[in-house]
Amino acid sequence: LSLSLSLSLPLFLFVCFFINVCSYESGVLEDPMHPAPKSLYQMTTDPQEAPEMPEELDIEFKDGVPIKVTNLSDKSEKTGALQLFAYLNEVGGRHGVGRIDIVENRVIGMKSRGIYETPGGEILWKTHMDIETFTMDRELRRIKQGLALRFSEQIYQGLWWAPECEFTRACILKSQENVTGTVRFAVYRGQVYIRGRQSPYSLYNKELVSMDVQGDYNPDDAEGFIRICGLRLREYHRVRSVGGQISKGAGNS
């Protein structure tokens, strides 16, 4: 299977997930209280038996798509969608990353227990979320998060070629235009730890948010902001107070 770097983010995640994930159902797993046998897992090391030292890496994104991974320990680099994902599976799996035991809702309504292994997917999800938060406007990201939920439902229901899914993919793709930069992270004992990030499109303004340097933001402005935002709550409690007095008067009568 050959995948080019020009893949859009939705298509990249869709293809790579289904060729780089292990899932398990039935048997002893049908008892939701029964722990999964240790021998079940094929892609990931038991976190308790994972290496004692963390492994640190950089991952680069362009327009929301991961394009390069660099292992800071041995300086090895991976590019190309499939190769990159396979390498993250290898590294993450070695450190016990990407295990999940869930009870999910199937399309027809019944609940089913499933155990999944997707170390590469876990790493990509957490690092992409970090660079997205760093570079994307707050309100845009709120809309995108809602679309991401709908997108996952559409894929789960087999609606990739449906018009609503085409629309969702186009919107998500538009949202990723500035999601470009590098995230530094470590994998250790089943966890992904974000260590840092940088981007030419960062919305983080050090001078603006600094507690050591006076920037363009004046903390005194918060006083008026709090009064305005609190107006709704003051009115709500004023009416409740009046309603409580009326209720007490009616009870006494």
Side-chain angles (χ1 to χ4, degrees):
L1 177 61
S2 176
L3 298 174
S4 73
L5 289 178
S6 61
L7 282 174
S8 69
L9 175 68
L11 183 56
F12 174 90
L13 295 178
F14 176 75
V15 174
C16 287
F17 176 79
F18 283 105
I19 60 176
N20 286 281
V21 65
C22 286
S23 62
Y24 315 95
E25 296 183 15
S26 74
V28 297
L29 300 182
E30 291 183 354
D31 177 358
M33 192 62 179
H34 195 292
K38 288 188 176 183
S39 60
L40 180 77
Y41 296 97
Q42 303 298 309
M43 296 178 68
T44 56
T45 301
D46 186 327
Q48 294 181 338
E49 300 173 2
E52 294 184 359
M53 295 298 295
E55 204 162 344
E56 194 169 66
L57 304 94
D58 281 351
I59 182 166
E60 297 180 28
F61 290 88
K62 180 175 175 55
D63 298 333
V65 177
I67 60 171
K68 182 180 178 181
V69 168
T70 303
N71 191 313
L72 301 181
S73 301
D74 58 18
K75 306 303 180 183
S76 60
E77 298 180 352
K78 300 294 179 181
T79 58
L82 184 57
Q83 294 77 16
L84 185 152
F85 205 112
Y87 181 68
L88 291 179
N89 267 340
E90 176 189 334
V91 174
R94 182 162 60 241
H95 290 269
V97 170
R99 292 184 175 189
I100 183 172
D101 183 334
I102 61 172
V103 173
E104 55 192 307
N105 295 299
R106 290 185 176 174
V107 174
I108 57 176
M110 69 176 67
K111 293 187 182 293
S112 172
R113 183 191 186 187
I115 291 180
Y116 296 86
E117 292 180 280
T118 176
E122 177 84 1
I123 292 171
L124 283 173
W125 174 57
K126 289 190 173 180
T127 53
H128 177 268
M129 181 169 56
D130 186 83
I131 196 67
E132 186 178 81
T133 304
F134 194 52
T135 57
M136 188 179 290
D137 174 78
R138 181 189 68 181
E139 296 305 316
L140 172 59
R141 189 163 187 273
R142 283 180 178 174
I143 296 173
K144 186 266 175 182
Q145 285 177 297
L147 289 171
L149 177 60
R150 291 294 300 128
F151 183 51
S152 66
E153 293 171 348
Q154 289 161 358
I155 291 178
Y156 193 79
Q157 294 169 9
L159 299 175
W160 180 267
W161 302 113
E164 64 271 27
C165 191
E166 290 182 0
F167 175 79
T168 304
R169 294 200 305 273
C171 291
I172 292 176
L173 187 60
K174 175 67 177 177
S175 76
Q176 300 297 299
E177 289 180 345
N178 290 332
V179 183
T180 295
T182 301
V183 177
R184 179 161 296 175
F185 68 98
V187 284
Y188 179 65
R189 295 287 171 95
Q191 297 294 325
V192 179
Y193 296 94
I194 303 298
R195 294 280 179 84
R197 74 286 292 158
Q198 62 181 5
S199 170
Y201 301 108
S202 167
L203 292 177
Y204 177 83
N205 186 330
K206 181 179 178 180
E207 293 184 359
L208 184 63
V209 302
S210 176
M211 295 184 182
D212 300 319
V213 178
Q214 179 67 56
D216 293 334
Y217 171 67
N218 185 350
D220 292 337
D221 293 340
E223 184 177 347
F225 175 79
I226 293 171
R227 283 202 303 269
I228 292 173
C229 291
L231 177 62
R232 175 179 64 92
L233 300 180
R234 289 198 301 272
E235 285 299 289
Y236 170 72
H237 286 283
R238 180 185 64 80
V239 172
R240 286 197 65 183
S241 176
V242 172
Q245 293 176 4
I246 293 175
S247 297
K248 288 180 180 180
N252 292 333
S253 63

